[in-house]
Amino acid sequence: MKLQRKNRLRATALGALAVSSALVLTACGSDNNSGSATGGSGEKTSAASDVKCDDAKGQLLASGSSAQKNAMDLWVKNYMAGCEGVEINYKASSSGEGIIAFNQGTVGFAGSDSALKPEEVTDSKKICKTGQGINLPMVGGPIAIGFHLEGVDSLTLDAPTLAKIFDGKIKKWNDTAIAKLNDGAKLPNKAIQAFHRSEDSGTTQNLGKYLAATASNDWKYEPEKKWPAPGGQAASGSAGVAAQVKQVDGSIGYFELSYASSQSISTVDIQTGGSAPVKASSENASKAIAAAKITGTGKDLALGLDYTTKAEGAYPIVLVTYEVVCDTGNKAETLPTVKSFLNYTAGDAGQKLLTEAGYAPIPTEINAKVRETIASLS
């Protein structure tokens, strides 16, 4: 009896160990959402197989735009799953901080929602010993105007009204200017709490470009990365602004659509003068970005956007986020990794991920030039 009992206990323990081992293996597999698992042949069976590591190695530091953070998170995860031993560390801070870090030589590339200014290009020549910093458009998308107003699920605004709200000229949600654009809506007699970015931000600058182009009588500020209007409340990064809008009843703010989608924040439809207000969506932003023209020279691929578009279904408040690199004079130790990683982000697999994450891919013709430029980096 004792022997049988010992055998039963031993069998139970072995069974528990087998179940435990299976759970561990399952958990490891579930963490690998990038799908870098291999089949019996040892070949990658997922998006990781689209990554060409080439001579990439070690750690690559990058920083800048928080607008592209959600896209960058996906890219980094998939890339690192495909390139064992390579670490991409992207710090999502702000476009301004990214450019500063790039021109100080502390990062391999920077993310910026605005193209380099002439003085920033000049500064870059100290780091890019034989060249200069250039702009590679990599991420497109709508700047959503998010709002939180209890009892109101749908809201339409036009550029002049939006300008007056962010400039503190319209202070209540039941203001006649808002009511005219939202016939039948039950707008409360509630104070508007407008949130903006606290740090220098390309998202701020792109919103400023839209307001300056479409509501010049009501928005008298130059489009700069620093928030120009008095009043309002500041929060850090797109994530910070989105968090405040999510939490505060009566609030409004601006951030990339991916932040609104991930937190179920309602967004404003924009009356552009077309037949119907336009919703913030990747598809509608793509219609506006498709009309962009390259304004940069040489290898610089800075784009000019038409914020005044009235094309049907084109969402006008858009941004393009650039990856800023040296055209020549990149650091030899990080250049292979920079090229390998950017080849992935600009490739078909990397660009396809953008729509799924609430962004918009770069138009095909422009993206082809981006790939050519990446290949030529030295």
Side-chain angles (χ1 to χ4, degrees):
M1 293 293 291
K2 289 183 178 180
L3 180 60
Q4 289 178 341
R5 183 170 181 271
K6 285 182 178 180
N7 287 339
R8 284 200 302 271
L9 289 173
R10 185 171 180 269
T12 301
L14 289 172
L17 179 60
V19 171
S20 176
S21 298
L23 288 173
V24 170
L25 290 172
T26 302
C28 291
S30 65
D31 283 342
N32 192 9
N33 292 329
S34 61
S36 61
T38 57
S41 64
E43 295 180 356
K44 293 185 177 66
T45 58
S46 74
S49 63
D50 295 313
V51 176
K52 293 183 179 180
C53 306
D54 297 326
D55 297 320
K57 61 183 178 180
Q59 184 184 60
L60 174 64
L61 300 179
S63 69
S65 165
S66 66
Q68 66 173 1
K69 178 185 183 300
N70 294 332
M72 190 62 71
D73 286 347
L74 289 172
W75 282 337
V76 168
K77 183 177 182 179
N78 282 358
Y79 180 84
M80 288 174 56
C83 295
E84 185 177 353
V86 181
E87 181 181 353
I88 309 295
N89 189 336
Y90 182 83
K91 179 184 177 183
S93 48
S94 69
S95 298
E97 291 180 33
I99 296 303
I100 290 173
F102 178 77
N103 282 340
Q104 289 177 342
T106 59
V107 294
F109 70 88
S112 177
D113 307 331
S114 295
L116 292 167
K117 295 179 179 180
E119 59 269 27
E120 292 171 337
V121 173
T122 299
D123 287 344
S124 73
K125 294 178 180 179
K126 301 171 186 175
I127 298 300
C128 309
K129 300 296 185 182
T130 59
Q132 64 181 42
I134 57 172
N135 305 282
L136 301 178
M138 198 67 69
V139 183
I143 300 175
I145 308 299
F147 71 97
H148 178 177
L149 191 59
E150 296 294 338
V152 179
D153 297 322
S154 178
L155 188 69
T156 295
L157 296 174
D158 58 13
T161 306
L162 199 58
K164 291 173 186 175
I165 288 173
F166 279 115
D167 199 23
K169 299 296 193 298
I170 292 179
K171 302 180 183 297
K172 292 290 186 72
W173 279 110
N174 63 346
D175 188 276
T176 55
I178 301 176
K180 286 180 181 179
L181 293 165
N182 296 273
D183 188 34
K186 295 182 179 180
L187 298 168
N189 182 25
K190 185 186 294 287
I192 296 173
Q193 298 192 57
F195 286 90
H196 59 263
R197 293 281 290 273
S198 59
E199 72 288 349
D200 286 3
S201 160
T203 310
T204 294
Q205 187 172 38
N206 280 279
L207 175 63
K209 289 178 180 178
Y210 165 74
L211 294 176
T214 56
S216 57
N217 290 334
D218 301 294
W219 191 258
K220 303 294 186 180
Y221 309 102
E222 290 294 321
E224 297 292 346
K225 292 179 181 177
K226 185 176 182 62
W227 181 255
Q233 301 179 60
S236 177
S238 291
V241 175
Q244 290 297 321
V245 173
K246 175 74 173 179
Q247 180 179 352
V248 179
D249 184 21
S251 61
I252 190 169
Y254 58 93
F255 33 79
E256 293 64 45
L257 181 62
S258 61
Y259 290 92
S261 300
S262 64
Q263 298 187 52
S264 299
I265 298 173
S266 298
T267 60
V268 171
D269 297 343
I270 301 298
Q271 179 56 265
T272 63
S275 62
V278 184
K279 293 186 177 298
S281 72
S282 296
E283 180 183 0
N284 293 342
S286 293
K287 293 176 182 177
I289 295 173
K293 305 295 183 184
I294 294 176
T295 57
T297 58
K299 293 184 180 180
D300 185 86
L301 300 177
L303 300 180
L305 299 169
D306 180 12
Y307 298 98
T308 64
T309 180
K310 293 181 175 60
E312 291 300 318
Y315 184 81
I317 317 177
V318 294
L319 60 74
V320 169
T321 289
Y322 302 93
E323 310 309 343
V324 177
V325 295
C326 297
D327 54 0
T328 64
N330 289 277
K331 293 181 179 179
E333 61 269 26
T334 57
L335 177 60
T337 308
V338 169
K339 294 179 70 171
S340 172
F341 180 66
L342 295 185
N343 270 323
Y344 167 65
T345 64
D348 292 337
Q351 289 292 295
K352 182 181 178 182
L353 284 175
L354 293 179
T355 300
E356 299 170 7
Y359 296 94
I362 298 302
T364 303
E365 290 185 7
I366 296 173
N367 185 249
K369 295 182 179 181
V370 172
R371 297 189 204 189
E372 290 176 8
T373 303
I374 292 171
S376 72
L377 298 179
S378 62

